[in-house]
Every structure is written in structure tokens, then in C-alpha cells.
Amino acid sequence: MSSDAIPERLTELPTDWHLVRTAHEEGPEGREAMRHLIGRYHDAVERYLRLKLRDPNLADEVLQEFWIKLLNHKLAGADNTKGRFRDYLRTVLHRLIIDHFRGRKLQPLPPGELPDPSVPDAEYDRVWREAVINRVLARLDTYEAQNPKNRYARVLNLRMRSPEASIEELTEQLAQNSKERLSPEAFRKTLQRAREKVAELLEHELKEGMTHPTRADIEAEIHDLGLGAFYQRYRRRDAR
């Protein structure tokens, strides 16, 4: 294994489907899976509901209903034979919103009326894409922390914060922030490798939300989320 390989604990994480099933079990493993699910999806679910309902109070009510159902083991019927976890999650949220309005006899439905779960939802896809990117960047932070000499996260964060800055300016910022000085050429190479690592971590992130995916399935998901151009540009050459 090369020194740049992803540590096993970063790639062999439980899939989303496994987490949902385990979270409905009694005991410490079930509680840990529940904690992981809440930490992984709370922000994305909350943001989607606020966008969809356009009312923070209603969004908070539906969000509370979602977590209560999960905590009370009411979502144990997840069918992991049907592909993407994100589709399952959107269907659950869609039904909760409809049930909430019917139960409170609220009319009409939210502005823009909810689409059919089988129809693409641009708001949901945007929220999910941003959540995926944030989780991938968190994986990159973990990778760097586990490899002390690695600078991928620091270098990439500098570029993301200052997209118009020159390489020379970025190397100076790195020196000021971490007391490490790279030549402009070394910075460029590190940035390239950081982007390649992000593309690799993206594959692993999306794989966790799918059932026995092929490479074609993963690549299709990447393109569906609007990340295809980045992935095609920075995917490692030896993986093509």
C-alpha cells in the first residue's frame, strides 16, 4: 500500500443503509449508529425542510417528527435493495411533510407544492450536494490529521478561501499560517494531489449511500449531483 492510500478506517465505514438498520437495534451499537445518523444528516435535513416549507417553525416541527420516528424505530422498513439512500430519505421527508399538513389540516400545501418523490427535486439535490462536499472535506481533514506530513487539507482550503490569489500568495499564506514554506511548484503539485484525493474520497462517500454499486453507478451519481466536471478532471489517472 502506498503512503498516499486512504486508511481503511476512512473507506470501510458503515453504509447509510447499515446505519439505519443498526440504529433500530437495542444496545450500544444501535445507540452509536443513531448518534452517527443524526450527526451525519441533521444539518442537511434541516436545511432542506426550511427551503421546502419556507416557514422555519413548520420546518422545525417536521424535523422533530423525523427524528422522533427514527428514535422510536419507526423507519425500520427501509428497503436497501432499491439503490440510493438519498432517494429513500427524500421520500421519507416528502411523506412526513404531507402527513404533517394533513394532520394539522393546514391548507394549502407549501408554496410551489411538493413534487412527486420520483421526480427530480433541484432543492434537495443542491442541499445533498453541499452536504456531500462538506463530508468529503471533513474526510480530507481526517486524512491529513492521520498523516502528519500531509498538507492536502491546508493547501486546498487556502485555494478555496482565495480562488483568485496567485500560487506565490498562497505559499506565503501557508508559511504564515503553519510555518511551512513550499516552493510554488511544490504547492501546485500538492494542490493537484489534494484534488485527486478529494475525487477519491468522493467515490467512497457516495458508495456508502448505495446498494452494491458498480463504478458506473458511482460515476452516474457524481454526475447527477453536478460534480462530474470536477471528478473527470481530478480523478487519478491510474484509476481510469
Side-chain angles (χ1 to χ4, degrees):
M1 180 181 294
S2 71
S3 60
D4 200 38
I6 300 177
E8 181 177 345
R9 56 186 170 276
L10 275 182
T11 60
E12 300 302 323
L13 296 174
T15 66
D16 292 330
W17 292 115
H18 176 77
L19 284 173
V20 170
R21 291 194 303 272
T22 305
H24 288 82
E25 298 175 358
E26 300 294 337
E29 289 188 5
R31 290 192 293 272
E32 177 63 17
M34 185 70 72
R35 184 194 65 78
H36 195 143
L37 274 175
I38 293 173
R40 187 171 172 83
Y41 292 112
H42 182 277
D43 290 347
V45 170
E46 180 181 40
R47 183 159 179 247
Y48 174 68
L49 291 175
R50 286 176 180 268
L51 283 170
K52 186 58 64 177
L53 293 170
R54 279 101 168 148
D55 183 323
N57 293 324
L58 284 177
D60 288 345
E61 289 178 10
V62 177
L63 179 67
Q64 184 177 24
E65 287 180 23
F66 173 76
W67 291 122
I68 287 174
K69 281 184 176 292
L70 188 63
L71 289 167
N72 290 331
H73 300 177
K74 297 294 181 63
L75 299 180
D79 185 354
N80 66 343
T81 66
K82 294 185 178 180
R84 302 185 306 193
F85 179 78
R86 73 179 173 101
D87 293 334
Y88 160 76
L89 184 59
R90 182 164 74 95
T91 298
V92 168
L93 294 174
H94 175 266
R95 289 172 179 169
L96 279 174
I97 293 171
I98 296 296
D99 290 346
H100 187 79
F101 272 74
R102 287 174 177 167
R104 291 187 51 179
K105 298 181 180 180
L106 296 175
Q107 293 294 334
L109 287 175
E113 196 162 340
L114 295 168
D116 186 282
S118 63
V119 176
D121 183 334
E123 287 182 328
Y124 183 79
D125 288 347
R126 183 170 68 255
V127 169
W128 192 271
R129 178 173 59 250
E130 292 172 0
V132 164
I133 291 171
N134 288 337
R135 291 198 296 269
V136 168
L137 293 176
R139 286 177 184 245
L140 189 67
D141 288 338
T142 301
Y143 176 78
E144 181 173 304
Q146 293 169 352
N147 296 267
K149 294 183 180 180
N150 184 275
R151 307 178 184 90
Y152 290 173
R154 279 170 287 173
V155 166
L156 185 61
N157 286 333
L158 283 172
R159 171 48 81 199
M160 292 171 62
R161 288 197 297 267
S162 304
E164 303 301 325
S166 68
I167 292 295
E168 289 75 16
E169 290 171 330
L170 294 176
T171 59
E172 186 59 35
Q173 289 182 39
L174 179 66
Q176 292 174 358
N177 294 344
S178 60
K179 309 303 180 184
E180 295 186 71
R181 186 170 292 279
L182 295 178
S183 69
E185 182 58 26
F187 191 99
R188 287 190 185 92
K189 288 182 178 179
T190 302
L191 181 59
Q192 173 66 26
R193 289 169 184 161
R195 287 165 169 162
E196 290 175 354
K197 183 60 64 180
V198 167
E200 188 178 355
L201 291 169
L202 177 61
E203 291 181 8
H204 290 288
E205 173 66 33
L206 295 180
K207 184 178 180 180
E208 290 175 15
M210 305 172 75
T211 303
H212 307 304
T214 64
R215 176 166 290 279
D217 293 333
I218 295 171
E219 291 184 2
E221 176 72 342
I222 289 171
H223 284 278
D224 285 350
L225 289 174
L227 299 171
F230 170 87
Y231 178 74
Q232 290 300 325
R233 182 174 181 181
Y234 294 113
R235 179 182 168 190
R236 290 175 67 93
R237 296 182 185 278
D238 57 9
R240 294 175 182 171

